[in-house]
Each structure stands twice: as structure tokens, then as C-alpha cells.
Amino acid sequence: MNRLLLATLCAGALSVSAQQKEPVDDIINEFYHHPEHIMVAAHRASHNKYPENSLVAVKESIEQGIDVVEIDLHETKDHILVVMHDATITRTTGKPGKIKDYTYQELLQFPLLFNGQPTTEKIPTFEQVLQLTKGRIIVDVDFKEESESAAKQAFAQIAAHGMEKQVLFFIYDHHQALILHSWNPRIPVMPRAHSVEEVAEIQQMATKQGKFPVIHGDASFYSDSLVKSVTAGGTRVWMNALGKYDKLESANENAGFDQLRKDAAYANVIQTDYPEKLLAYLRKKGLHK
């Protein structure tokens, strides 16, 4: 083959490959291949600057370079999946009632509040969040509904956007993991462990479906030996800075994160209300890329 033609074809192939790579690919690579780096999860997106779980808060998390944005899913009266933490809309909009009491079009009447004041932001749909985050950030879906149909709808929307690789589906009852896996094994599930015994059960379940990429634990049963045994097998351990540690951090810079590192040194995903601060803290210590 003519050398010039070969060089042109190779350059074209490299160009196509470069075009196909997305920002989230680097985050996913870190997530699965660099357990020594601690990943940062933004609780309800970047809600210190914007209304929680809003599109603009999600966008801010992306622009800050956060690894994971955590969102919460509920279902409306007309079976639209929307992003909101509470089952009611009172705290976030100032209006009465539950999400399931309203159609989505009715919910659009109510602006989201920030520091008690109305904004231009409205309650987003899961579809809108998927469109915004595709190729840009890992999404942790905190699924708040109990209906199987709503969960299947969420799985279908994730698959429709081709976003299986960048979504973590968080469940509170780890026994449901095998069921979810049967629907779509390409969507990784993050089970919640409430005890050492449940960690063992989850690890046993992994022999049937393949290892979980991450297990959500907490400080109540944390031990270095337990968490090291989990991470040694290629599974990350997710811990929350929410509450105690974030309160310490808000009162005294680095105090909360320092304490969390002492209490849970081997946890390698941390969810916080201060993702930008945590990211800077970890980078300064060489614990983030």
C-alpha cells in the first residue's frame, strides 16, 4: 500500500477514535482502574450554588470536574420520572402535596426555591438529566420509588440513551440486585450495606452476577480490614461525608475531611454537600487525578 495513503488512513482512524472519546471515559477509567484515587460524588448535585437536583446544579457539577452527580428519582401522577429528593414538593417549591399527586405539566407551574426564594429552575425530568449528563459525568441514581414499573422505566431510559456505562443504580435493599441485573446486566447496581453481614451477602451475590463496581457502606460498621478486603477485589466502597463530617467541614476548613479520612481511610468514593471543596482537598493530597 502507498505509504502516503497508509498514513492518511491511520490519521483518519485516530481522528475518528479521538472524536468518539467522551469526557466521562476518563472518569470511568479512574473509577474502575485507579482505586488508589478517591472519587467525589456531589449530593443532590451542586446545591450550595443552585436549587438541589436542578439542571443548573447538575451542570455546575459537570463544570467543576466532579466525578459523580447524585440525583433522586420519583414518579408523577402521569408516570413521568422526575428528579427530586422528597416525596413531597413543599420544601423545594413551597407548595403542598406529593409528587405523585400532580402530573408533570402541573409540576411545571412551581419554580424551585433556592435559599427560600423562587428561581427560574423547574423540577427536571430524568430524561432531561440524562440528556444533559450523557458523555460527561457518572450519574448516581438514588431510586426512591417502590414500583417495579417505575424502575423498569428508569432502566429503559438509561438504555435508550446508551448510558449504561455511566450510570450507577443505587438501591437500599441489596436483595433486589439480582432482579435488576436480570433486566439489564450492563447497568451497574450499587447496593447499600447496613452491616458487616450484609457486605458478606453482597459479595456472595457477586459470585452469581459478577462483582459490583461499588458498595455503599457507612461509618457504623466501617473497619480498615473489611474495606481493604472489598477494595482488594476490585469493588469500590462508597461513604458519606453528609451530616457529621460536612458539618465539621463547614465550621472549619479541612476539619471534616481530615476526620473522615481518619475514620474511613480506605473508602474510595465520598459523597458530600461540598464537592468542590472535597475535590480541591483530595487533589492537594495527591488522592485524586
Side-chain angles (χ1 to χ4, degrees):
M1 183 181 289
N2 181 285
R3 289 184 178 180
L4 179 59
L5 177 59
L6 179 61
T8 301
L9 290 173
C10 289
L14 288 171
S15 175
V16 170
S17 177
Q19 289 175 2
Q20 291 176 340
K21 186 174 181 181
E22 299 172 314
V24 77
D25 292 330
D26 288 334
I27 301 174
I28 292 170
N29 182 63
E30 287 286 314
F31 191 90
Y32 286 100
H33 302 296
H34 291 278
E36 73 279 10
H37 291 163
I38 298 174
M39 312 296 280
V40 177
H43 182 228
R44 305 181 198 174
S46 296
H47 67 268
N48 286 312
K49 293 185 176 181
Y50 301 102
E52 66 179 56
N53 275 318
S54 65
L55 290 178
V56 68
V58 172
K59 183 179 179 182
E60 178 68 13
S61 295
I62 294 169
E63 293 178 350
Q64 287 177 6
I66 306 304
D67 304 300
V68 184
V69 61
E70 186 261 357
I71 61 169
D72 306 276
L73 283 194
H74 279 283
E75 188 179 29
T76 66
K77 184 177 181 179
D78 54 342
H79 308 296
I80 303 296
L81 293 178
V82 294
V83 181
M84 181 172 283
H85 179 270
D86 301 353
T88 64
I89 65 171
T90 306
R91 182 179 60 85
T92 50
T93 71
K95 304 299 180 181
K98 298 180 179 180
I99 294 171
K100 67 180 182 181
D101 295 334
Y102 294 93
T103 66
Y104 179 63
Q105 287 301 315
E106 289 171 339
L107 288 175
L108 287 178
Q109 303 173 69
F110 313 134
L112 290 172
L113 305 178
F114 183 67
N115 291 334
Q117 299 300 313
T119 69
T120 58
E121 292 294 305
K122 301 296 177 67
I123 300 170
T125 64
F126 186 42
E127 179 77 15
Q128 289 171 327
V129 170
L130 290 175
Q131 291 172 354
L132 175 60
T133 56
K134 182 176 172 61
R136 305 174 76 184
I137 193 171
I138 292 177
V139 180
D140 167 37
V141 176
D142 188 339
F143 189 71
K144 301 291 190 184
E145 290 292 333
E146 296 183 357
S147 81
E148 183 175 298
S149 62
K152 285 185 173 180
Q153 182 184 169
F155 264 53
Q157 288 181 242
I158 293 165
H161 284 274
M163 292 175 65
E164 294 96 334
K165 68 179 182 179
Q166 71 176 89
V167 172
L168 300 172
F169 203 84
F170 173 56
I171 54 171
Y172 294 89
D173 181 357
H174 66 279
H175 297 101
Q176 298 173 345
L178 292 179
I179 296 172
L180 297 177
H181 182 75
S182 71
W183 295 349
N184 189 335
R186 294 183 298 163
I187 297 176
V189 172
M190 175 168 60
R192 178 72 161 88
H194 301 85
S195 65
V196 174
E197 292 75 21
E198 287 193 3
V199 172
E201 289 178 14
I202 291 168
Q203 289 179 307
Q204 181 61 33
M205 290 171 66
T207 63
K208 299 179 181 179
Q209 66 156 58
K211 69 183 179 184
F212 293 95
V214 57
I215 297 173
H216 192 309
D218 64 52
S220 67
F221 63 90
Y222 176 93
S223 71
D224 285 351
S225 58
L226 173 66
V227 173
K228 285 170 72 174
S229 71
V230 174
T231 57
T235 294
R236 283 184 174 269
V237 173
W238 177 299
M239 298 284 286
N240 285 340
L242 312 175
K244 171 184 174 181
Y245 301 106
D246 275 348
K247 286 180 181 177
L248 284 172
E249 188 64 28
S250 65
N252 188 2
E253 186 176 357
N254 294 337
F257 298 149
D258 281 343
Q259 188 62 52
L260 178 58
R261 289 287 298 149
K262 289 178 183 177
D263 293 348
Y266 293 95
N268 53 9
V269 184
I270 298 174
Q271 179 175 223
T272 177
D273 285 328
Y274 302 103
E276 192 172 11
K277 289 183 179 182
L278 178 58
L279 186 62
Y281 171 91
L282 294 173
R283 284 177 173 168
K284 188 175 181 179
K285 293 184 175 295
L287 295 171
H288 195 281
K289 67 180 186 299

